[in-house]
């Protein structure tokens, strides 16, 4: 059912997808899509698709904070509105992802020997979930710390994992529907979400 809904969504959104792709091309050329290896269900790797939001050929940290010079002007808007994630509807069609589920992480940050990671990876990753909504403005939060990568690995990521476990323990169709409705609301009102974390 999810796959059919996402296939229909891709068809209905095709004009918007074309416009986004054209905007990226006009600013910074080809390709308009970006792919990156992520960890999926049961630790299986797959290539995650996004609209490209950075200039080509620029190297840097695995994570991005607000003000990163690698991000294009169009990319800043796409990231703020989370429109760069739209191509991931295709992963739902293919059965690699769900609409709602833990966000797929980079292999560099995943420890398959950790029981928490194994539990989180029992389900398919998702385009959105309650944790990604809570950390919607993560790039702003990372910009406030002196060492964003260290902060992400030692504080932010463990927080996310604990929240993912809590969500999965109470997962239901109704809860997933609430997450989807909140996601739509955040898309319509992107400035209402503030970065939060429980650590110190």
């Amino acid at each position: 059912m999810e796959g059919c809904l996402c296939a229909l969504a891709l068809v209905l959104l095709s004009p918007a997808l074309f416009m986004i792709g054209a905007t990226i091309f006009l600013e910074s050329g080809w390709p308009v899509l970006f792919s990156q290896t992520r960890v999926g269900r049961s630790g299986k790797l797959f290539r995650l698709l996004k609209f490209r939001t950075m200039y080509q050929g620029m190297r840097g940290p695995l994570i991005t904070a607000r003000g990163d010079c690698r991000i294009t002007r169009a990319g800043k808007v796409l990231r703020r509105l989370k429109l760069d994630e739209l191509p991931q509807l295709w992963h739902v069609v293919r059965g690699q992802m769900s609409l709602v589920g833990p966000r797929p992480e980079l292999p560099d940050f995943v420890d398959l020997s950790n029981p928490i990671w194994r539990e989180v990876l029992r389900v398919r990753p998702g385009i959105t979930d309650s944790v990604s909504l809570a950390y919607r403005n993560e790039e702003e939060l990372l910009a406030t710390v002196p060492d964003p990568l260290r902060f992400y690995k030692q504080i932010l990521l463990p927080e996310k994992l604990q929240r993912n476990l809590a969500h999965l323990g109470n997962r239901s169709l109704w809860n997933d529907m609430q997450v989807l409705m909140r996601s739509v609301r955040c898309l319509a009102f992107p400035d209402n979400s503030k970065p939060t974390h429980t650590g110190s």
Side-chain angles (χ1 to χ4, degrees):
M1 175 64 76
E2 257 190 345
C4 293
L5 289 175
C6 287
L8 177 61
L10 284 170
V11 173
L12 296 176
L13 290 171
S14 57
L17 297 175
F18 176 80
M19 290 180 62
I20 292 172
T23 301
I24 295 170
F25 171 73
L26 290 173
E27 181 181 10
S28 55
W30 296 107
V32 298
L33 292 177
F34 166 78
S35 70
Q36 189 178 53
T37 300
R38 296 293 178 102
V39 182
R41 188 176 187 178
S42 302
K44 184 177 180 180
L45 302 180
F46 71 104
R47 298 292 294 181
L48 182 79
L49 291 176
K50 290 187 174 188
F51 280 118
R52 181 171 58 81
T53 59
M54 292 186 177
Y55 292 104
Q56 300 181 65
M58 297 193 73
R59 299 183 180 276
L62 292 174
I63 59 174
T64 54
R66 184 186 57 191
D68 194 313
C69 65
R70 296 174 294 170
I71 301 175
T72 65
R73 286 176 298 175
K76 291 177 183 178
V77 176
L78 293 176
R79 283 172 172 264
R80 186 170 70 88
L81 299 177
K82 305 301 180 185
L83 296 177
D84 58 320
E85 313 283 1
L86 285 177
Q88 290 161 39
L89 291 168
W90 175 242
H91 294 298
V92 182
V93 175
R94 296 189 62 189
Q96 296 170 311
M97 294 178 66
S98 295
L99 282 172
V100 178
R103 288 295 297 162
E105 190 56 85
L106 291 165
D108 304 68
F109 299 141
V110 176
D111 179 8
L112 294 177
S113 67
N114 187 327
I116 296 179
W117 269 115
R118 291 200 298 270
E119 185 66 22
V120 169
L121 292 174
R122 287 178 58 247
V123 301
R124 283 183 295 172
I127 294 177
T128 186
D129 71 331
S130 60
V131 179
S132 60
L133 291 175
Y135 294 93
R136 180 176 176 80
N137 289 331
E138 181 180 293
E139 292 183 6
E140 292 183 19
L141 178 59
L142 291 172
T144 66
V145 298
D147 189 341
L149 183 58
R150 177 179 175 276
F151 180 81
Y152 184 81
K153 293 175 69 173
Q154 297 185 6
I155 297 178
L156 211 55
L157 187 54
E159 283 185 16
K160 286 183 173 184
L161 286 172
Q162 291 297 334
R163 291 194 182 198
N164 276 320
L165 281 180
H167 174 79
L168 292 175
N170 296 291
R171 191 171 189 182
S172 67
L173 178 59
W174 172 242
N175 286 340
D176 283 357
M177 290 298 296
Q178 286 185 309
V179 168
L180 288 173
M181 289 186 288
R182 286 172 55 202
S183 299
V184 172
R185 187 163 63 248
C186 286
L187 181 62
F189 305 101
D191 295 325
N192 288 345
S193 299
K194 300 298 180 185
T196 61
H197 75 97
T198 58
S200 58

